[in-house]
Amino acid sequence: MYHETSMQIHTHLTNERNNLIGRTTFQMSNLSIDIQGTDSIGNLIQEWFGNWAVSQNYPIALPDGSTQAFPDFFINNGEGLLEVKTFNAQRSPAFDVANFEAYCLSLAENPQRLFADYLIFSYEKLDLGIRIDNIWLKKIWEITGESNDFPLKVQVKYRDRENNIYSIDNIRPIVWYSERNNVAQPFESYLDFVEALYGTQQIYRRGYSNRDLFYTNYNRLLQL
Amino acid sequence: MYHETSMQIHTHLTNERNNLIGRTTFQMSNLSIDIQGTDSIGNLIQEWFGNWAVSQNYPIALPDGSTQAFPDFFINNGEGLLEVKTFNAQRSPAFDVANFEAYCLSLAENPQRLFADYLIFSYEKLDLGIRIDNIWLKKIWEITGESNDFPLKVQVKYRDRENNIYSIDNIRPIVWYSERNNVAQPFESYLDFVEALYGTQQIYRRGYSNRDLFYTNYNRLLQL
């Protein structure tokens, strides 16, 4: 049911796409400037989207508290979760899908988070502002895949001279819309994604993962 | 010489402080919204500041390339470096002073970066937009100090169950303006900061640091 709301939103925005030209103004003292930098565009589009969806009477609400928390929005009174992501259409998607460790634990405790919808905007920079280039509605296993180093593509930071101590910060997207056949493909099912997630955690944490907790709660969810 | 320019800028802005009320508007399609979130305020203030300083004929320029690169601005044709930082006045400063590893190497290669100026804005959230609360002009050793875990206060991420594998991400500020005497104090000299920086790196990297490279280049700088 909530996924239908997400699909309606996605179709509506896609039909509006030619009008989706955005412009940011910041005024302070007597000086008003058009913002050229795009470091903030993800936050701005997300906040715009929430206002737009409410103005169009979609059943959408902000969770309480920080805008950096998961999820970005609740759909249909908390029945579904919606995340908004943004990337520059001239580059590969570089947004953080989620913080790796936080997501591993959060998914184990609440397996229904697996089914959150991701509304993804790509934009093109104009001389003044941006133009929305494309809009996707995806599940997490449709925008993630494996990498050379791990079962799941993640952002890795190395610290040692020999590169053998590392830190996994975030889950990163693959180029899910690529038509080239030599690039990583998305997972074929959500349980393939789950296995890759906890398999990566097991390597990272030397044998420890939240996999068992996930399956316990997932089986409980199936019985509801 | 460049520090005089920074001081003029700081005094000028401080005198203007009552007018420094900022407001962000994002317009897309037919919907224009006032941005309430403050996740982006640092980027916006930084871009506004660059425009403002140019409009006031201060000798300031953006480096080429990414806005995320160091430094944020050059002063007096590259003679000095200026970083702009922002934090919520209702909380402790939480901005990243610099990425820890990148700064260790960068300072070793270019010890003059030690003398970059930091222009720091604290803001208060209003119902609509923000108000600049205070403005500081500081050197890096005046806003950093030691922590319980390391000679330098850094952002640490732990990954294992026993908390004994960690990753240092960023150099973080102390509450340099605190009047309480039970909080960490800033370093007393820039070489104290340098020692804390490379001492922390030596612990983190198990014996390895960029300290020698720093002192080689620093001594060369003194002879110029």
Side-chain angles (χ1 to χ4, degrees):
Chain A
M1 182 65 192
Y2 71 88
H3 189 59
E4 278 170 40
T5 301
S6 300
M7 286 193 294
Q8 284 165 14
I9 288 173
H10 176 248
T11 304
H12 189 161
L13 283 169
T14 303
N15 292 340
E16 285 259 337
R17 202 169 57 173
N18 289 339
N19 301 321
L20 297 183
I21 292 176
R23 183 175 159 180
T24 313
T25 312
F26 181 76
Q27 179 177 351
M28 193 154 75
S29 184
N30 296 321
L31 180 65
S32 175
I33 63 163
D34 284 300
I35 295 291
Q36 305 288 339
T38 50
D39 290 346
S40 305
I41 197 68
N43 292 329
L44 302 174
I45 287 176
Q46 181 177 324
E47 194 165 329
W48 178 90
F49 167 75
N51 280 267
W52 174 86
V54 167
S55 77
Q56 302 294 320
N57 296 315
Y58 287 107
I60 198 166
L62 273 171
D64 293 333
S66 161
T67 57
Q68 290 179 14
F70 179 87
D72 293 332
F73 298 100
F74 287 120
I75 308 177
N76 294 6
N77 267 325
E79 191 202 346
L81 311 174
L82 183 70
E83 285 280 288
V84 174
K85 300 291 177 186
T86 305
F87 70 98
N88 184 333
Q90 260 103 52
R91 306 190 199 142
S92 294
F95 54 83
D96 294 331
V97 176
N99 177 277
F100 176 74
E101 283 285 354
Y103 189 84
C104 285
L105 183 60
S106 158
L107 193 69
E109 289 174 342
N110 300 299
Q112 68 273 26
R113 292 197 165 183
L114 191 50
F115 305 103
D117 286 318
Y118 286 74
L119 185 68
I120 307 167
F121 295 85
S122 68
Y123 67 88
E124 201 178 309
K125 213 165 158 352
L126 305 177
D127 286 340
L128 191 61
I130 56 107
R131 187 182 69 78
I132 297 298
D133 185 65
N134 216 332
I135 310 166
W136 292 265
L137 182 67
K138 292 286 181 184
K139 297 292 189 183
I140 195 166
W141 64 88
E142 298 175 321
I143 58 171
T144 53
E146 67 175 350
S147 70
N148 290 333
D149 296 323
F150 293 99
L152 180 67
K153 184 176 173 189
V154 287
Q155 178 191 30
V156 182
K157 287 188 185 160
Y158 289 98
R159 84 168 196 230
D160 220 38
R161 277 161 299 174
E162 292 80 27
N163 278 355
N164 49 15
I165 297 183
Y166 56 89
S167 160
I168 295 183
D169 278 10
N170 291 298
I171 301 172
R172 302 301 285 271
I174 60 165
V175 187
W176 65 85
Y177 47 84
S178 177
E179 288 168 3
R180 290 159 54 194
N181 56 15
N182 59 344
V183 300
Q185 300 297 309
F187 294 107
E188 291 189 359
S189 75
Y190 61 81
L191 287 181
D192 285 354
F193 163 78
V194 167
E195 281 302 306
L197 177 75
Y198 292 117
T200 300
Q201 193 186 31
Q202 205 156 21
I203 297 168
Y204 180 46
R205 298 267 226 129
R206 303 180 191 165
Y208 175 83
S209 87
N210 299 116
R211 186 193 264 113
D212 291 348
L213 180 61
F214 171 82
Y215 281 109
T216 303
N217 286 323
Y218 176 68
N219 288 328
R220 195 170 293 148
L221 188 72
L222 291 183
Q223 286 154 22
L224 288 183
Chain B
M1 182 64 191
Y2 71 88
H3 189 60
E4 278 172 39
T5 301
S6 300
M7 286 194 294
Q8 284 167 14
I9 288 173
H10 176 250
T11 304
H12 189 162
L13 282 169
T14 302
N15 292 339
E16 285 259 334
R17 204 169 55 174
N18 288 340
N19 301 322
L20 297 183
I21 291 176
R23 182 176 162 180
T24 313
T25 312
F26 181 75
Q27 178 177 351
M28 194 155 71
S29 186
N30 297 319
L31 181 65
S32 173
I33 64 162
D34 284 301
I35 295 292
Q36 306 287 338
T38 50
D39 290 346
S40 306
I41 198 67
N43 293 329
L44 302 175
I45 287 176
Q46 181 178 322
E47 194 165 329
W48 178 89
F49 167 74
N51 280 265
W52 174 86
V54 167
S55 78
Q56 302 294 320
N57 295 315
Y58 287 107
I60 199 168
L62 275 169
D64 293 333
S66 159
T67 57
Q68 290 179 15
F70 179 87
D72 294 333
F73 297 100
F74 286 119
I75 307 177
N76 294 5
N77 267 324
E79 192 202 346
L81 311 174
L82 183 70
E83 284 281 287
V84 174
K85 300 291 177 186
T86 306
F87 70 98
N88 184 332
Q90 261 103 52
R91 306 192 200 142
S92 294
F95 55 83
D96 295 330
V97 176
N99 176 276
F100 176 74
E101 284 284 353
Y103 189 84
C104 284
L105 183 60
S106 157
L107 193 68
E109 289 174 342
N110 301 297
Q112 67 272 26
R113 292 197 164 182
L114 191 50
F115 304 105
D117 286 318
Y118 286 74
L119 185 69
I120 307 167
F121 296 84
S122 69
Y123 67 88
E124 202 177 309
K125 213 165 156 356
L126 305 178
D127 286 340
L128 190 61
I130 56 107
R131 188 182 68 77
I132 297 299
D133 186 64
N134 216 333
I135 310 167
W136 292 266
L137 182 67
K138 291 286 182 185
K139 296 293 189 183
I140 195 167
W141 63 89
E142 297 174 322
I143 58 171
T144 53
E146 67 176 348
S147 70
N148 290 334
D149 296 323
F150 293 100
L152 180 68
K153 184 175 173 191
V154 286
Q155 178 192 29
V156 182
K157 287 188 184 158
Y158 289 97
R159 87 168 192 226
D160 79 5
R161 278 162 296 173
E162 292 80 26
N163 278 354
N164 49 16
I165 297 183
Y166 57 90
S167 159
I168 295 184
D169 278 11
N170 290 298
I171 300 171
R172 300 302 284 270
I174 60 165
V175 187
W176 65 85
Y177 48 83
S178 176
E179 287 167 4
R180 291 159 53 194
N181 56 16
N182 59 344
V183 300
Q185 300 298 308
F187 295 107
E188 292 189 359
S189 74
Y190 62 83
L191 287 181
D192 284 355
F193 163 77
V194 167
E195 281 303 304
L197 177 76
Y198 292 117
T200 300
Q201 192 185 31
Q202 205 156 23
I203 297 168
Y204 181 44
R205 297 267 225 128
R206 302 180 192 166
Y208 175 83
S209 87
N210 300 117
R211 187 192 264 116
D212 291 348
L213 180 61
F214 171 82
Y215 280 109
T216 303
N217 286 323
Y218 176 67
N219 288 328
R220 196 169 293 150
L221 189 70
L222 292 182
Q223 286 154 23
L224 288 182

